[in-house]
Amino acid sequence: MPRTIFIDANPDMLRLWQRIVRDTDPAIAINMTPVDPETLPAVIADYDTCINDATYLPREQLQRCPNLRHIVFLGSGAASYIDLAAARELGIKVSTISGYGDTTVAEHALGLIFAAARQVSTMDRAVRAGTWKPLQGMQLFDKTLGVVGLGGIGREMVRLARGIGMQVLAWNRSPVADPGVPVVALEALLAQSDIVSLHLALNDATRHFMSRERLGQMKPGAILINTARGAIVDTAALVDCLRSGHIRHAGLDVFAPEPPAADDPLLALDNVTLTAHAGFFTPEATMVMLRRSIDLAASGF
């Protein structure tokens, strides 16, 4: 039976964990103490399996955990936190969890679309500072949304956007059976969309997928939404596009790295709405994710 520890639980997750754990589940240790690169090997030392929410596991840390054989990552974007190549070389299996929050993440992306289109965060900051200045917004009805990536979240975005009367185009890296939406070339999607929403997994092929060139291909004055992974976008190029007004507004739930540095230029821009990688974070989605993590940990390596 695997010896398992949840290495970075927090009080909110623990409350949900207690609702989904079963008497028949194998014992899993819960660590509530913050871990850092120096303490992590000692925390994991007695275990061959760990459940990881958002702890960075680069090569140098994995090499210091000789007993570790299985990492269950709470989410689908393990590459953002784990050196996958090093894990393979060291014989460490990495399991991910997908599909648990398709609706939740799509709803968050739609919330960022509304906030960006109506300059909600900009006006909120101004009103709190004592400035009363209504800002003109963008009506979403009949505008074109470009969905980049037609996985589970992307398909939910299509459903939600159509529900508020938007026109929807999509692009996917591979052919999709019965997409239910017009699938066009990426260049056409970027040129025609009033809003572009990113729903791609992060890997070597998608790192900086939204390059300076592709950001430049977006329709002038369009909105960019990213609830996928921060490294999918060339941040320096995005900052330039926001400063110039080529991109009207960005709604970002993800960064590279996370959290962003205090001097990250995105933090100083008014035409950016930022959230703390919380798109997946509802009780409904989290309980599904945690339940699957227990089952994956118990499945062995």
Side-chain angles (χ1 to χ4, degrees):
M1 183 66 66
R3 302 184 309 280
T4 304
I5 182 170
F6 185 172
I7 59 173
D8 52 1
N10 59 57
D12 289 334
M13 278 198 168
L14 183 60
R15 283 190 288 271
L16 298 174
W17 177 278
Q18 292 167 340
R19 292 173 61 180
I20 54 89
V21 70
R22 300 168 184 159
D23 293 339
T24 54
D25 288 329
I28 296 178
I30 304 293
N31 176 58
M32 299 284 288
T33 303
V35 293
D36 58 39
E38 292 305 313
T39 61
L40 178 64
V43 171
I44 296 180
D46 295 330
Y47 302 93
D48 51 45
T49 300
C50 74
I51 296 172
N52 177 24
D53 176 31
T55 295
Y56 287 99
L57 296 174
R59 178 182 294 271
E60 53 268 28
Q61 295 308 312
L62 294 175
Q63 289 173 333
R64 296 176 61 197
C65 301
N67 295 325
L68 185 61
R69 289 293 172 264
H70 188 189
I71 301 168
V72 178
F73 180 72
L74 293 180
S76 57
S80 296
Y81 291 89
I82 301 166
D83 186 330
L84 298 180
R88 284 192 297 270
E89 293 171 16
L90 294 167
I92 301 171
K93 176 182 176 181
V94 178
S95 297
T96 59
I97 304 169
S98 60
Y100 65 93
D102 291 352
T103 297
T104 286
V105 176
E107 288 178 350
H108 193 85
L110 185 63
L112 287 173
I113 290 173
F114 276 107
R118 302 309 296 265
Q119 302 195 67
V120 170
S121 58
T122 305
M123 285 191 284
D124 176 79
R125 290 191 295 268
V127 172
R128 291 174 187 271
T131 300
W132 187 263
K133 184 180 179 181
L135 298 178
Q136 186 178 64
M138 173 196 289
Q139 178 174 287
L140 296 177
F141 180 80
D142 211 31
K143 294 298 190 299
T144 298
L145 172 68
V147 176
V148 179
L150 270 181
I153 299 170
R155 288 177 179 267
E156 278 293 278
M157 280 302 299
V158 172
R159 181 182 68 83
L160 294 173
R162 283 179 164 169
I164 60 171
M166 299 188 75
Q167 307 298 318
V168 185
L169 301 174
W171 176 87
N172 200 63
R173 293 179 62 205
S174 57
V176 177
D178 189 25
V181 64
V183 177
V184 300
L186 181 61
E187 294 78 8
L189 180 147
L190 296 176
Q192 297 173 36
S193 298
D194 300 291
I195 300 164
V196 173
S197 189
L198 305 177
H199 303 285
L200 297 171
L202 177 62
N203 52 46
D204 290 340
T206 61
R207 192 173 300 275
H208 282 193
F209 179 87
M210 289 302 292
S211 61
R212 186 174 297 274
E213 178 183 4
R214 285 178 172 152
L215 291 169
Q217 292 171 351
M218 288 177 61
K219 184 177 182 178
I223 290 169
L224 181 68
I225 302 296
N226 188 10
T227 55
R229 285 296 182 270
I232 289 172
V233 179
D234 181 335
T235 300
L238 174 60
V239 168
D240 289 344
C241 289
L242 288 163
R243 285 173 173 164
S244 72
H246 177 72
I247 293 178
R248 169 195 177 104
H249 201 108
L252 308 175
D253 186 47
V254 287
F255 305 85
E258 292 182 348
D263 61 352
D264 189 318
L266 287 169
L267 305 184
L269 297 175
D270 286 336
N271 56 339
V272 182
T273 299
L274 307 173
T275 56
H277 201 152
F280 72 97
F281 203 27
T282 64
E284 295 85 354
T286 302
M287 284 191 291
V288 171
M289 178 177 66
L290 292 175
R291 182 62 252 170
R292 291 183 185 173
S293 75
I294 294 173
D295 295 337
L296 283 167
S299 69
F301 46 85

